[in-house]
Amino acid sequence: EDQVTQSPEALRLQEGESSSLNCSYTVSGLRGLFWYRQDPGKGPEFLFTLYSAGEEKEKERLKATLTKKESFLHITAPKPEDSATYLCAVGANAGGTSYGKLTFGQGTILTVHP
Amino acid sequence: DAGITQSPRHKVTETGTPVTLRCHQTENHRYMYWYRQDPGHGLRLIHYSYGVKDTDKGEVSDGYSVSRSKTEDFLLTLESATSSQTSVYFCAIKGWGELFFGEGSRLTVL
């Protein structure tokens, strides 16, 4: 059974204080590791896909990295508008029958204070 | 904008009544999904579809059924709503590998 665990559950930062969110996973053949941002009352918004260990993706103040067991979402010099819940998900290779299904972690609630 | 519309966006109903949530997409995607999101559980897959009239169960499918008679519409039905089905329901479509989500339907079962 695929599992995704995110830590910490909540993170409070001061504006400009860089930090990282963790996503640990177990999956029977990784098809992709996905990061999403979710604002209150909204649907998850896609950020990144990582496919193999060593891969990195960047977008503005966010950088996602991937190892064989975990992924990190690094936030550099965050601003209050970066406050949101960040979700991690994995997709498994199931012999070509995964149908694109994703298994999600519970998310990290990030609050950035001015 | 992924071209996904969910309706209704908010609904309050009573235990034992039937409820249908609708997901409509405008981009002709083959794969569609229904997830529910609850505090402490994250997003969990209810049902998914891989084509017209082709559907299968996810991890939390008990008490739910789905139908897909047209590519653009994926319906989620609660035959007899229970309080444990109070949740926020998200529809999603599959892009290259990632999923794109709708804005959600908040259902309260009293």
Side-chain angles (χ1 to χ4, degrees):
Chain A
E1 181 180 333
D2 303 334
Q3 289 191 326
V4 179
T5 303
Q6 292 187 244
S7 62
E9 291 185 12
L11 181 62
R12 303 169 78 91
L13 299 174
Q14 289 297 126
E15 185 172 2
E17 180 187 3
S18 301
S19 188
S20 297
L21 312 182
N22 178 261
C23 172
S24 297
Y25 65 91
T26 56
V27 64
S28 53
L30 182 69
R31 172 173 60 83
L33 187 291
F34 304 84
W35 281 99
Y36 287 83
R37 170 191 172 124
Q38 187 174 24
D39 293 304
K42 301 288 188 181
E45 175 189 348
F46 170 70
L47 292 173
F48 303 110
T49 308
L50 301 168
Y51 293 103
S52 58
E55 188 174 1
E56 299 183 353
K57 293 270 180 77
E58 285 190 66
K59 181 179 180 180
E60 297 181 354
R61 294 176 292 282
L62 301 177
K63 183 169 81 172
T65 62
L66 181 64
T67 73
K68 289 186 177 180
K69 294 184 178 180
E70 57 191 350
S71 177
F72 293 93
L73 185 64
H74 306 278
I75 304 176
T76 302
K79 298 181 178 182
E81 53 261 43
D82 295 322
S83 298
T85 297
Y86 290 86
L87 303 172
C88 172
V90 295
N93 271 323
T97 61
S98 70
Y99 298 109
K101 296 177 289 181
L102 298 185
T103 299
F104 282 83
Q106 295 187 19
T108 294
I109 303 170
L110 175 66
T111 305
V112 182
H113 296 283
Chain B
D1 184 2
I4 305 170
T5 304
Q6 292 187 229
S7 60
R9 294 291 314 281
H10 301 273
K11 186 173 182 65
V12 179
T13 191
E14 294 188 350
T15 298
T17 59
V19 176
T20 295
L21 305 179
R22 180 181 182 238
C23 178
H24 179 79
Q25 57 135 334
T26 59
E27 300 186 5
N28 206 35
H29 289 273
R30 177 182 175 188
Y31 296 93
M32 298 184 74
Y33 311 81
W34 277 107
Y35 282 82
R36 61 178 288 176
Q37 187 173 41
D38 305 287
H41 290 279
L43 283 158
R44 292 179 292 173
L45 181 64
I46 306 171
H47 280 280
Y48 62 99
S49 170
Y50 47 96
V52 173
K53 298 186 179 179
D54 292 323
T55 66
D56 206 348
K57 298 178 180 180
E59 65 174 304
V60 290
S61 59
D62 286 350
Y64 301 96
S65 62
V66 290
S67 65
R68 192 166 178 204
S69 58
K70 299 184 291 184
T71 298
E72 58 265 36
D73 289 325
F74 192 29
L75 304 181
L76 178 69
T77 297
L78 291 67
E79 300 290 348
S80 178
T82 67
S83 59
S84 65
Q85 294 175 313
T86 292
S87 186
V88 182
Y89 292 86
F90 288 100
C91 174
I93 59 175
K94 180 177 173 291
W96 180 251
E98 68 280 5
L99 301 188
F100 296 100
F101 287 84
E103 291 295 288
S105 295
R106 181 175 295 275
L107 175 67
T108 302
V109 184
L110 301 176

